[in-house]
Amino acid sequence: MAGIPIPSTMMAVRLHPPGGVDGIRYEAIPTPTLGEDDVLVRVHAAAITRDELSWPVDRLPATPSYELSGTVVDDPAHVLEPGQEVYGLTDFSRDGVAAEFAAVSRTELSPKPHSLTHVEAAAVPLPALSAMQALFDHGRLAENERVLIHGGGGGVGSYAVQLAKWRRAHVIATASSNRVDTARSLGADEVIDHTTSDFTTIDPVDLVFDTGGGARLERSLQVLEPGGRLVSVAEAPPAALCEKAGVDCDYFVVAPSPDQLATLTRLADAGEIQTVVDESFPLSEAPRVFRRLQQHRGTGKLVFNLIERPRA
């Protein structure tokens, strides 16, 4: 791998003005130059996230996707070795990684799990880090506590269920009808089909982790006693209602963390967590894939597969 030539141009997905799905192009662009703390990664797989086309609106054209798995091609500081397999969540304020090569800060990368393919590894960083930071950094989940996870069969929620069980909490998950079995298979102690049942009838919980916002977010205050915690990655909880209920409410945006990725690597290689990939696609199919993402209701991530053959 150390001898791979670095071309002057590469194929990439680009989002052009005015943005949105109709602005997606698959085209040749210059291979990125490296900043002071950057390494050049040959991208093997890159995952995409709903709504991400709305993030770089002030700096178009831009490359989407902020989760990658690949191999190091060049590190001018000689910290990472060429050929080293890495994965990570990259800075949302920079160009993304839906390209053959990506310039990535080495502080955002961690060794890839040996047990996962590159496609599987690329599906981990954003949802798993969101779940980990919500439960442990913001939610302060402790062993034997009761946690309610909304969307327990979805992208972020599926990792939250597994991580909460790893922490030895009692896990209650809400899920839509087609995801109830998924949430249960991932380890939830109780699963509530929110399309047919009222989750507010459960016994009080110590922590609610919300992944969807809206009415469920506000109604979640009903299952928390004073002193409970409500954490959301979807929208800010209503401050006045949280104060009235005596509940500690928090909203945050996930941040890159190589240390937490290293923990996730150990968990994946130990079989403690599993990844769920809905489907993978060639980079050249980006316009169609982003259109599909707008209606995506699967249980796993959509991932661009740049070099791997599907597993038999």
Side-chain angles (χ1 to χ4, degrees):
M1 190 71 185
I4 280 191
I6 302 172
S8 60
T9 62
M10 64 178 185
M11 298 305 295
V13 177
R14 296 290 277 176
L15 176 63
H16 289 266
V21 175
D22 291 338
I24 289 290
R25 305 285 185 272
Y26 175 64
E27 60 192 14
I29 65 171
T31 301
T33 56
L34 301 182
E36 182 178 355
D37 297 321
D38 289 347
V39 300
L40 187 67
V41 177
R42 185 181 186 190
V43 180
H44 293 201
I48 57 176
T49 300
R50 188 187 302 277
D51 299 329
E52 72 167 74
L53 295 184
S54 66
W55 300 346
V57 292
D58 59 342
R59 50 183 175 84
L60 299 180
T63 300
S65 178
Y66 300 89
E67 302 167 88
L68 86 163
S69 182
T71 52
V72 174
V73 174
D74 184 28
D75 181 359
H78 305 292
V79 176
L80 300 179
E81 293 293 328
Q84 182 174 345
E85 294 187 325
V86 292
Y87 76 137
L89 174 68
T90 65
D91 189 337
F92 298 136
S93 67
R94 297 181 59 174
D95 253 357
V97 297
E100 292 180 305
F101 295 89
V104 182
S105 171
R106 70 177 61 84
T107 63
E108 296 165 355
L109 296 170
S110 184
K112 168 190 161 295
H114 296 295
S115 60
L116 302 183
T117 68
H118 284 287
V119 167
E120 291 167 337
V124 171
L126 191 150
L129 287 175
S130 296
M132 179 171 277
Q133 292 169 17
L135 294 175
F136 307 143
D137 297 345
H138 297 266
R140 308 183 301 280
L141 181 65
E143 185 175 345
N144 295 323
E145 286 192 319
R146 289 167 54 83
V147 56
L148 172 63
I149 298 169
H150 288 309
V156 175
S158 63
Y159 286 103
V161 167
Q162 296 178 85
L163 289 169
K165 288 302 296 181
W166 171 65
R167 185 53 62 93
R168 296 186 174 88
H170 182 87
V171 179
I172 307 163
T174 65
S176 54
S177 300
N178 65 322
R179 294 178 174 179
V180 166
D181 289 342
T182 298
R184 186 174 290 113
S185 70
L186 294 173
D189 298 289
E190 304 174 45
V191 184
I192 300 167
D193 183 343
H194 68 79
T195 66
T196 61
S197 301
D198 181 5
F199 72 86
T200 63
T201 61
I202 65 173
D203 291 336
V205 299
D206 302 286
L207 170 65
V208 174
F209 176 31
D210 168 66
T211 64
R216 268 188 295 171
L217 173 60
E218 291 194 15
R219 295 176 64 224
S220 294
L221 293 168
Q222 300 176 40
V223 301
L224 287 163
E225 293 183 340
R229 291 98 66 196
L230 170 60
V231 179
S232 178
V233 291
E235 61 183 81
L241 294 180
C242 293
E243 183 177 359
K244 182 178 179 180
V247 170
D248 181 8
C249 292
D250 197 3
Y251 164 77
F252 76 100
V253 176
V254 63
S257 173
D259 290 340
Q260 290 177 328
L261 278 177
T263 298
L264 291 167
T265 293
R266 291 194 294 272
L267 292 175
D269 285 340
E272 296 280 353
I273 59 171
Q274 57 180 292
T275 63
V276 183
V277 175
D278 187 305
E279 195 171 351
S280 63
F281 307 84
L283 202 61
S284 58
E285 295 185 14
R288 180 178 71 84
V289 176
F290 273 101
R291 285 188 175 87
R292 174 178 168 177
L293 183 63
Q294 308 310 305
Q295 290 82 38
H296 184 232
R297 294 295 183 270
T299 57
K301 295 278 281 186
L302 302 183
V303 181
F304 290 120
N305 180 354
L306 278 71
I307 66 167
E308 286 185 352
R309 294 182 177 179
R311 281 181 168 172

